[in-house]
Amino acid sequence: MLSGKDNSGFGWDEYRQMVVAKCAMWNSYISSHKAVGQFRHHSFSYWDQLTSIYAKDRAIGKDAQTAADIVE
């Protein structure tokens, strides 16, 4: 959602630890990605800890990115 094609209306709220977007953007995205609806008002309390464990850079090319790079 944060880095996919045509999803520039999504962002990350660092304080609430959740994905944010205007209602129209959420509605449009959920209409084609039904399973994502559960995350509309969901906080990811341990996001920072999980990304430090699981989002290690696996690629070695010059354009390799971590999850933190993609969110920025």
Side-chain angles (χ1 to χ4, degrees):
M1 290 174 62
L2 297 174
S3 63
K5 184 181 177 201
D6 300 324
N7 296 336
S8 62
F10 287 96
W12 179 254
D13 183 323
E14 189 68 33
Y15 178 74
R16 297 185 295 170
Q17 297 285 290
M18 64 190 305
V19 176
V20 293
K22 293 185 177 181
C23 287
M25 183 59 129
W26 269 114
N27 293 339
S28 174
Y29 193 80
I30 291 170
S31 71
S32 59
H33 301 85
K34 304 286 187 219
V36 176
Q38 65 182 321
F39 300 113
R40 186 173 186 166
H41 302 287
H42 183 78
S43 175
F44 296 89
S45 304
Y46 299 103
W47 178 260
D48 292 331
Q49 292 89 339
L50 291 171
T51 56
S52 69
I53 295 168
Y54 295 108
K56 301 285 187 220
D57 221 3
R58 300 288 190 259
I60 58 172
K62 70 178 179 102
D63 294 320
Q65 295 181 325
T66 66
D69 296 329
I70 294 169
V71 170
E72 291 175 2

